[in-house]
Amino acid sequence: MLAALLFLAPVALAGPSAFISGSPILSPTSPNLAQCLLSPPAFSCENKTEVNTCCLPTQGLILQTQFWDTWTGFEKDGQLLPKKTWSIHGLWPDNCDGSFESYCDFSRQYDPKPDPAVINGETVPVYTGPGVDTFIKAFGRQDLLDYMKKFWVAQGQPSPEFWAHEFSKHATCFTTFDTKCYPKYKQHEEVVNFFDTVIQAYKQYPTYKFLAAKGIVPSNTTTYTLSAVLGALEAATGATPHVGCSASGALNEVWYYSHSFGAPQLGVLKHLNTTFGATCPETGIQYLERTPGSEW
């Protein structure tokens, strides 16, 4: 009943011109969202009254970010990129004006290589404990771990270290992942819930398919214009994302902006234009093929 109520409401709130995606399928480790029935329904950054921060993130400009890497550096260990698919970078909570915080809770810092190493004059403690993949296993979520290994793939480091970085730097700044939001809280429950939430958002943005639908596919010889790349993504989402390129002009990143209806764990997102622009040239953009042996 709760899921149905929260899913139907945003359509009326957003108006006919808004692009909304997602359906609220809650993960087994979701917080107690029943308490949110007492809060006014709203999109993040659009609420007019004070709300329960377990129900609506205070940093409510949400970015689902993806990579187009061409190698991992750990191919010999079986760390391969997904074929014809962009890989996950993360899910970030920016402030409504586009600014952001990082590493908001040192007590839940699981990143072995914090970056940045200092936040507001304080050194971020280096984590030396078990990897976050062990947290997932402890909750019996082999399904989640298998998916992350395939689609949330790091470059230049083992993937579990990158997952730890994304949780520690970004998820600790999402108020809806605070431990107080979980009934009968079990240690690391919110970590697993965050990973589920990232994947739920990621599935709403199949970047490879968006681009391929407009004839934009990886090639080591063909180049593309920025207007063509943005046009393909805008056609699919109704909004302009950030597209990022390397210094040589190779397309390697997309950031999709949104407001969430209620907690991001619900996965109901209103697509928005980027606040950051693009870091790609107007012409001559390369969309490089993957290195042989780097895909599964």
Side-chain angles (χ1 to χ4, degrees), residues 200-238:
Q200 183 174 222
Y202 165 72
K203 288 180 177 179
Q204 297 179 36
Y205 300 104
T207 302
Y208 190 96
K209 291 181 179 179
F210 290 166
L211 294 173
K214 299 298 182 179
I216 300 173
V217 295
S219 170
N220 290 340
T221 56
T222 302
T223 61
Y224 303 98
T225 63
L226 178 60
S227 62
V229 172
L230 289 177
L233 300 176
E234 289 166 352
T237 65

Side-chain angles (χ1 to χ4, degrees), residues 2-3 14 34 50 67 109 111 118 135 150-151 158 160 165 181 194 219 226 231 237 241 249-250 257 279-280 290:
L2 172 64
E50 186 174 342
F67 282 133
Q109 201 307 86
D111 188 349
V118 178
F135 304 170
K150 288 183 177 180
F151 296 100
H165 168 81
C181 301
F194 174 69
S219 170
L226 178 60
T237 65
Y257 287 67
T279 58
C280 292
R290 296 259 173 78

Side-chain angles (χ1 to χ4, degrees), residues 2-3 6 23-36 54-55 139 141 144 175-186 188-198 200 263-267:
L2 172 64
L6 291 175
S23 67
I25 302 173
L26 299 178
S27 84
T29 53
S30 293
N32 177 22
L33 295 181
Q35 62 186 304
C36 300
C54 290
C55 302
F139 280 85
R141 292 297 309 282
L144 173 61
T175 58
T176 62
F177 292 96
D178 286 347
T179 57
K180 68 180 182 181
C181 301
Y182 296 78
K184 300 180 180 178
Y185 173 72
K186 297 179 181 178
H188 305 140
E189 184 175 6
E190 82 285 14
V191 181
V192 179
N193 187 212
F194 174 69
F195 294 153
D196 269 323
T197 303
V198 175
Q200 183 174 222
Q265 286 95 321
L266 287 171

Side-chain angles (χ1 to χ4, degrees), residues 83-118:
K83 190 174 183 179
K84 293 187 177 181
T85 307
W86 285 53
S87 59
I88 300 171
H89 187 166
L91 192 69
W92 304 344
D94 281 9
N95 295 312
C96 298
D97 62 3
S99 62
F100 64 93
E101 280 79 47
S102 302
Y103 296 102
C104 293
D105 184 354
F106 286 176
S107 72
R108 296 184 293 151
Q109 201 307 86
Y110 306 118
D111 188 349
K113 299 175 182 177
D115 181 20
V118 178

